[in-house]
Amino acid sequence: MISMNLKRLRKTYRYTQEEVADKIGVSRQAVAKWENGETVPDINNCVALAELYGVVLDDLVNYSEDKEPLGIQPKGKHIFGFVKVGERGQIVIPKKARDIFSISTGDRLLVLGDEAQGIAIVRSEGFLQFAQDLFNAQEIEEEDE
């Protein structure tokens, strides 16, 4: 799996094997052997490769198209798939998203919209705290003037 992932990521980033080798401090031959499945990178090189490509180490090593056909996602970014809008406008947030963001029954979420960019859903508590911090910062700035 890792050999296919390394080759796919390198091609996605349009790096040559030599460029990857230079960036992580190994030989081009080592990169070629990893991509051909002849050898596997050690843990330090895996960490360096995950950082180079901006992916989670687990995805670099274990990702399989059979399980997740959408490709390896950038670290911290997710595609959860499609949801269907019900008759009353309701959607079901996918379980993986609920697990990652610790969303439970009864949680309050804020729905934001930008006609050019789309809809975003954020935890109301975090957003409201952020808004309060902005308001407080504005008040302090006005007092200093």
Side-chain angles (χ1 to χ4, degrees):
M1 263 184 276
I2 190 171
S3 60
M4 291 183 295
N5 295 340
L6 290 172
K7 186 179 278 188
R8 184 177 298 114
L9 286 165
R10 181 178 58 79
K11 290 183 177 194
T12 298
Y13 280 80
R14 295 185 173 149
Y15 291 147
T16 64
Q17 289 179 341
E18 190 157 331
E19 288 172 321
V20 171
D22 288 343
K23 289 178 184 294
I24 65 166
V26 297
S27 69
R28 184 205 55 78
Q29 291 83 358
V31 175
K33 286 181 180 181
W34 298 338
E35 289 184 3
N36 292 329
E38 295 173 37
T39 61
V40 294
D42 66 22
I43 190 66
N44 292 327
N45 287 323
C46 284
V47 169
L49 289 160
E51 287 178 12
L52 174 66
Y53 295 124
V55 298
V56 177
L57 182 60
D58 187 54
D59 286 344
L60 177 74
V61 176
N62 294 316
Y63 169 79
S64 169
E65 267 187 0
D66 298 338
K67 297 177 193 171
E68 291 280 336
L70 298 172
I72 298 174
Q73 301 303 303
K75 189 175 184 177
K77 311 291 185 202
H78 305 276
I79 296 176
F80 297 110
F82 296 100
V83 297
K84 190 173 184 179
V85 179
E87 291 177 20
R88 297 181 52 208
Q90 71 274 31
I91 62 169
V92 175
I93 298 172
K95 181 177 180 351
K96 184 176 178 184
R98 293 190 315 265
D99 291 345
I100 288 172
F101 295 103
S102 301
I103 298 171
S104 302
T105 302
D107 285 353
R108 291 174 37 116
L109 304 174
L110 179 64
V111 179
L112 304 171
D114 179 314
E115 291 182 11
Q117 305 234 349
I119 295 174
I121 300 173
V122 297
R123 290 185 158 285
S124 62
E125 299 83 21
F127 185 80
L128 293 174
Q129 182 61 52
F130 174 70
Q132 185 64 48
D133 292 345
L134 285 175
F135 181 75
N136 293 342
Q138 180 66 33
E139 283 184 336
I140 291 170
E141 187 175 300
E142 290 173 357
E143 289 173 5
D144 291 342
E145 291 177 353

